[in-house]
């Protein structure tokens, strides 16, 4: 109990760094983002349930959905990200149970949703009582002024924040912020799939927070991403 409480405190701190406020009791710890997505989808959806997502989306989600016997429903996008009109139509007529979204530095398009677009997505989800599974793996590269969509619909949003992109893939840790009403289901699925999490890895993240090393590493990742983006832009200039 003491170990779990300490690790949930670490998870709460990590989530706060990414703009997501959550109670310690509503933090679930997973073996990386893919494990967190597996846990979430397994706990909340049943075979043949429909999951809406961008028409271009994370390949790992496609594989996972096929494995679990779920069905993907594409949502149109525009320059701002998910089309609100298309999302509303899909939620109204396709019988979707959840939306999978990557609002920050979307994979593969790299788009980051504006606050206005996020608020629009939240409003559509609330109108139709559709769950949100928000993958925040790249949120450290996004617009820090925009809060997560999950924070706008806390009763529907499951927020997944992994460490592999901002720190290192060797740390197989992700923190899930869950709505209170769904916490037991997600915890039960997490235990059934993983039994326990990697205590050493979580505690290592906590130690990096204490020493300031975590902020230094993330700042370095952001700097490197900026340099590579500029390099790619310079090379591709005139070819787009």
């Amino acid at each position: 109990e003491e170990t779990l409480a300490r690790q949930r405190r670490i998870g709460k701190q990590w989530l706060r760094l990414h703009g997501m406020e959550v109670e310690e009791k509503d933090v679930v710890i997973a073996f990386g983002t893919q494990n967190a997505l597996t846990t979430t989808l397994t706990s909340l959806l049943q075979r043949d349930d429909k999951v809406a997502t961008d028409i271009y989306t994370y390949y790992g989600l496609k594989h996972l959905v096929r494995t679990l016997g779920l069905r993907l429903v594409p949502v149109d996008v525009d320059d701002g990200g998910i089309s609100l009109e298309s999302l509303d139509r899909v939620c109204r007529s396709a019988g979707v149970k959840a939306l999978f979204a990557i609002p920050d530095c979307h994979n593969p398009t790299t788009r980051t949703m504006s606050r206005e677009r996020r608020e629009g997505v939240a409003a559509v989800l609330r109108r139709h009582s559709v769950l949100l599974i928000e993958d925040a793996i790249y949120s450290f590269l996004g617009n820090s002024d925009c809060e997560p969509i999950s924070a706008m619909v806390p009763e529907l949003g499951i927020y997944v924040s992994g460490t592999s992109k901002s720190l290192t893939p060797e740390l197989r840790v992700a923190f899930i912020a869950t709505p209170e009403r769904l916490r037991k289901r997600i915890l039960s699925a997490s235990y059934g799939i993983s039994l326990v999490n990697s205590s050493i890895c979580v505690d290592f993240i906590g130690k990096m927070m204490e020493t300031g090393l975590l902020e230094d590493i993330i700042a370095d990742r952001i700097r490197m991403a900026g340099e590579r983006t500029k390099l790619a832009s310079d090379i591709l200039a005139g070819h787009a």
Side-chain angles (χ1 to χ4, degrees), residues 40-229:
T40 300
L41 291 173
T42 301
S43 63
L44 302 180
L45 302 178
Q46 298 179 351
R47 190 175 186 85
D48 289 328
D49 278 349
K50 297 177 180 177
V51 180
T53 190
D54 311 53
I55 193 168
Y56 305 109
T57 194
Y58 166 50
Y59 77 93
L61 175 73
K62 295 181 180 180
H63 183 78
L64 179 56
V65 162
R66 285 196 300 269
T67 300
L68 297 178
L70 303 174
R71 299 164 64 187
L72 277 183
V73 178
V75 179
D76 293 336
V77 297
D78 56 30
D79 289 343
I82 289 174
S83 163
L84 299 182
E85 180 180 345
S86 178
L87 178 62
D88 185 70
R89 182 172 60 253
V90 164
C91 290
R92 185 176 62 253
S93 61
V96 300
K97 296 295 182 65
L99 168 70
F100 174 83
I102 308 175
D104 292 297
C105 199
H106 177 268
N107 179 3
T109 67
T110 74
R111 290 189 183 96
T112 291
M113 286 190 199
S114 66
R115 176 180 293 276
E116 182 180 9
R117 183 60 59 92
R118 294 173 198 233
E119 291 173 346
V121 170
V124 172
L125 296 178
R126 182 174 284 121
R127 185 182 311 133
H128 298 285
S129 298
V130 170
L131 294 173
L132 167 68
I133 301 169
E134 183 171 358
D135 185 350
I137 190 70
Y138 293 109
S139 65
F140 72 104
L141 294 175
N143 186 343
S144 60
D145 293 332
C146 293
E147 65 180 327
I149 302 174
S150 295
M152 301 175 180
V153 277
E155 73 279 13
L156 296 171
I158 299 93
Y159 184 84
V160 178
S161 180
T163 60
S164 63
K165 306 302 182 185
S166 56
L167 294 179
T168 173
E170 279 67 38
L171 285 176
R172 304 305 299 170
V173 176
F175 299 103
I176 310 172
T178 70
E180 183 177 2
R181 67 187 181 90
L182 301 177
R183 181 180 68 243
K184 288 185 178 180
R185 291 167 63 181
I186 295 175
L187 271 173
S188 177
S190 177
Y191 184 78
I193 292 170
S194 306
L195 289 181
V196 294
N197 62 69
S198 177
S199 298
I200 293 177
C201 289
V202 176
D203 286 339
F204 186 54
I205 292 168
K207 183 59 67 175
M208 285 194 288
M209 288 181 181
E210 291 178 10
T211 62
L213 179 60
L214 185 142
E215 291 185 3
D216 290 343
I217 293 174
I218 292 178
D220 190 54
R221 293 286 187 275
I222 293 172
R223 177 188 59 77
M224 290 171 61
E227 291 175 352
R228 292 172 181 176
T229 299

